[in-house]
């Protein structure tokens, strides 16, 4: 979609879909509407800068069930649910299912547009974070098991003699492994290594 920010609207109410389409198009979004969750799943085309807005209660597949199906299909898309009865249990269930936000009717056009922009910005930040984590993990995966052990020790601030004592090898051997792993990782300082190890560990959260 050429970098445009897109909004997908799922609601069985045609009048709402048409009104929402006008609102978001006037705000500069590319808009696609669907009359059901099934229609959305059939017609969805992945794009980065996008947000899904859906009604909680619809005939057939409802909002929470659609959220679950998105997760099962590993569709990474921020979702805003709106409902006429956003009580605490409903809100908790929606957030646990992966919704970015729950909005209660009636709501203003300005509020919904603001929520969508927040959702897209948050998704963009998360994608960048995930990419950094994946890159760090891939780089460390290219090391030998011994090099990864030494990399962790260096990131923890241990000296070569301390690492040697912990691993049962000489400090000179530690230095040789250190030089090799620095070369493989294309870094020249322990601070850069510590940052890399930290990012890789975030992938285990």
């Amino acid at each position: 979609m050429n970098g445009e920010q897109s909004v997908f609207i799922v609601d069985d109410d045609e009048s709402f879909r048409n009104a929402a389409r006008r609102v978001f198009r006037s705000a500069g979004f590319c808009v696609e509407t669907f009359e059901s969750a099934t229609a959305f799943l059939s017609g969805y085309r992945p794009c980065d800068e996008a947000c899904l807005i859906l009604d909680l209660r619809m005939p057939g597949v409802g909002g929470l069930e659609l959220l679950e199906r998105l997760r099962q299909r590993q569709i990474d898309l921020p979702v805003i649910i709106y409902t006429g009865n956003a009580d605490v249990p409903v809100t908790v269930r929606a957030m646990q299912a992966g919704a970015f936000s729950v909005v209660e009717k009636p709501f203003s056009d300005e509020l919904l547009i603001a929520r969508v922009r927040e959702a897209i910005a948050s998704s963009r930040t998360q994608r960048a974070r995930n990419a950094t984590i994946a890159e760090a993990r891939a780089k460390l995966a290219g090391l030998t098991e011994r090099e990864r052990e030494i990399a962790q020790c260096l990131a923890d601030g241990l000296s070569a003699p301390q690492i040697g004592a912990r691993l049962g090898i000489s400090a000179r051997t530690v230095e040789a492994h250190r030089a090799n792993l620095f070369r493989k990782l294309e870094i020249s300082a322990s601070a850069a290594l510590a940052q890399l190890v930290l990012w890789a560990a975030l992938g285990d959260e």
Side-chain angles (χ1 to χ4, degrees):
M1 296 187 179
N2 300 323
E4 289 182 296
Q5 292 189 335
S6 299
V7 175
F8 304 111
I9 300 165
V10 181
D11 195 307
D12 60 306
D13 185 336
E14 184 178 5
S15 62
F16 177 84
R17 294 198 308 271
N18 292 337
R21 181 190 293 112
R22 289 193 295 271
V23 166
F24 281 102
R25 280 184 175 171
S26 67
F29 292 88
C30 176
V31 184
E32 291 185 54
T33 64
F34 303 87
E35 71 276 9
S36 68
T38 302
F40 170 75
L41 289 171
S42 299
Y44 169 67
R45 294 171 297 164
C47 58
D48 290 335
E49 298 283 297
C51 179
L52 169 62
I53 303 173
L54 63 94
D55 192 3
L56 179 67
R57 294 180 174 85
M58 296 180 289
V61 179
L64 291 178
E65 187 176 348
L66 176 55
L67 273 176
E68 181 60 31
R69 293 192 183 186
L70 292 177
R71 185 160 54 185
Q72 290 172 353
R73 298 187 184 194
Q74 297 184 326
I75 296 176
D76 185 15
L77 182 67
V79 177
I80 295 174
I81 287 182
Y82 58 89
T83 175
N85 183 28
D87 55 26
V88 172
V90 167
T91 300
V92 169
R93 284 182 62 198
M95 300 302 282
Q96 288 177 337
F100 174 79
S101 179
V102 177
V103 179
E104 187 171 11
K105 300 175 183 177
F107 46 78
S108 67
D109 296 341
E110 291 77 13
L111 171 63
L112 198 54
I113 290 171
R115 286 287 187 273
V116 166
R117 287 180 172 150
E118 289 170 7
I120 291 175
S122 176
S123 179
R124 185 188 307 123
T125 299
Q126 186 62 44
R127 285 197 311 276
R129 179 180 184 272
N130 290 343
T132 301
I133 290 172
E135 181 181 6
R137 291 169 72 92
K139 285 183 176 181
L140 292 177
L143 302 179
T144 65
E145 182 178 353
R146 176 62 84 189
E147 287 169 348
R148 283 195 295 272
E149 289 177 334
I150 292 173
Q152 182 63 61
C153 290
L154 288 168
D156 290 340
L158 300 183
S159 67
Q162 289 172 324
I163 295 171
R166 173 179 290 188
L167 301 180
I169 57 179
S170 69
R172 179 175 295 181
T173 300
V174 171
E175 291 291 357
H177 282 303
R178 178 183 180 277
N180 284 334
L181 71 89
F182 271 36
R183 175 180 52 79
K184 288 182 179 180
L185 297 175
E186 299 180 334
I187 59 176
S188 58
S190 294
L193 175 63
Q195 187 176 47
L196 196 65
V197 171
L198 175 61
W199 275 110
L202 291 175
D204 295 325
E205 290 183 340

